[in-house]
Amino acid sequence: MSAFQSAPFLLTPRLVSQSRAAGSAAALTWELGRSEAAISAAHAAVVEHIHTRFPHLLDSRSFSAFAPLFPRFAGAFVEAGVPLPNLVGFIDGKLWKVARPVRAQSVLYSGHKRCHGVKIQGVVFPNGIQPWPYGPIDGSRHDSFVLQASGLIP
């Protein structure tokens, strides 16, 4: 049975539980009786299948797709008391935790969060969507480095 053929059976529990925590693949190995490699291959096969067969269902998640909503976003900030009438979003980032690597641990270690991970950063709109976040970047990097590398601010 190919990875794609077994993918719906493997990924249904993951999609139902919407588990994104670090180590979720390891938890699924016990739950599904499959290796992490098999689960990863199945996940990749499903993502590829969706992108190939159903491209019309995928949004571009670009800034231009949200441009018609910018006046509403700016209005929401003004209503909340922000004195900037043209503000449509905030720069925000996140450290996604990863398992401790065997080699080069210092590259991914965040002393601030005291864990290993990779960082992403981008503009977040008031509706919570962050179209096209920049990253991943080494977790040891400071947020100001990620901001400069992203090119969001010239």
Side-chain angles (χ1 to χ4, degrees):
M1 181 179 280
S2 73
F4 176 71
Q5 291 170 331
S6 65
F9 302 107
L10 290 175
L11 296 178
T12 300
R14 176 178 231 168
L15 296 173
V16 170
S17 68
Q18 295 182 0
S19 172
R20 288 196 225 176
S24 61
L28 284 175
T29 59
W30 180 81
E31 188 177 327
L32 301 174
R34 305 284 179 139
S35 68
E36 286 187 51
I39 293 169
S40 179
H43 182 266
V46 167
V47 168
E48 180 65 29
H49 175 70
I50 290 170
H51 280 271
T52 305
R53 293 279 315 259
F54 308 103
H56 62 283
L57 297 177
L58 302 172
D59 65 346
S60 64
R61 290 179 46 113
S62 66
F63 287 105
S64 60
F66 290 99
L69 299 174
F70 284 178
R72 197 166 91 185
F73 291 166
F77 285 121
V78 169
E79 285 179 25
V82 177
L84 301 170
N86 58 353
L87 180 68
V88 296
F90 287 104
I91 296 173
D92 192 20
K94 179 165 179 61
L95 178 77
W96 290 96
K97 292 182 181 180
V98 298
R100 186 175 65 185
V102 176
R103 290 183 213 96
Q105 292 183 19
S106 62
V107 173
L108 297 179
Y109 186 74
S110 169
H112 178 69
K113 299 285 187 174
R114 291 180 168 54
C115 64
H116 294 85
V118 293
K119 290 185 175 186
I120 62 164
Q121 194 174 70
V123 176
V124 178
F125 296 137
N127 60 3
I129 294 176
Q130 186 179 33
W132 293 108
Y134 179 78
I137 296 289
D138 301 338
S140 62
R141 294 295 195 161
H142 192 272
D143 289 344
S144 62
F145 173 84
V146 181
L147 180 61
Q148 181 183 11
S150 71
L152 278 173
I153 297 179

